Amino acid sequence: DIPQTAEVKVNMNALKFYQAAGCGECNNGYKGRTAIFEIFSMNEEIEKVILSGKVAEYDMKDLAHQYGMITMVQDGLLKAMDGITSVSEVFRVAE
């Protein structure tokens, strides 16, 4: 886990993404499936907000991000950086 107080800086010029080539076996698409996830950990503050029953979806989203939630797009982009999928596929399924 990355500490909540950690500051992460990414050199955007150092990132490399590759174009998906496809193959005849998978009909120029993807063979098999790889999941992308959106998960956040429950903590005492989030639990109180949920149990209050007085929270809007947008407030919950902001609170989850504040406590380090990784979105489906972020998880997908991490997998694209590892060469597991392509950026275009991430945005096709996650947006």
Side-chain angles (χ1 to χ4, degrees):
D1 288 333
I2 297 173
Q4 293 174 7
T5 58
E7 185 175 320
V8 179
K9 294 184 180 184
V10 176
N11 178 354
M12 298 304 283
N13 295 322
L15 297 178
K16 286 187 178 183
F17 293 98
Y18 300 91
Q19 181 69 31
C23 68
E25 185 178 339
C26 59
N27 198 24
N28 293 322
Y30 292 92
K31 183 176 181 180
R33 297 190 182 260
T34 297
I36 57 175
F37 301 96
E38 184 168 84
I39 299 172
F40 72 92
S41 298
M42 184 69 67
N43 65 28
E44 190 174 327
E45 184 177 348
I46 292 172
E47 181 180 19
K48 285 179 185 178
V49 169
I50 291 171
L51 293 176
S52 76
K54 299 177 183 178
V55 62
E57 175 185 350
Y58 300 108
D59 295 333
M60 193 69 233
K61 188 175 179 180
D62 289 343
L63 190 59
H65 284 280
Q66 177 184 338
Y67 285 102
M69 180 182 83
I70 295 176
T71 66
M72 285 177 45
V73 171
Q74 290 169 329
D75 185 46
L77 290 175
L78 290 171
K79 288 178 172 127
M81 288 174 25
D82 286 339
I84 296 168
T85 190
S86 67
V87 173
S88 60
E89 184 68 1
V90 170
F91 285 109
R92 184 186 75 78
V93 300
E95 288 295 310

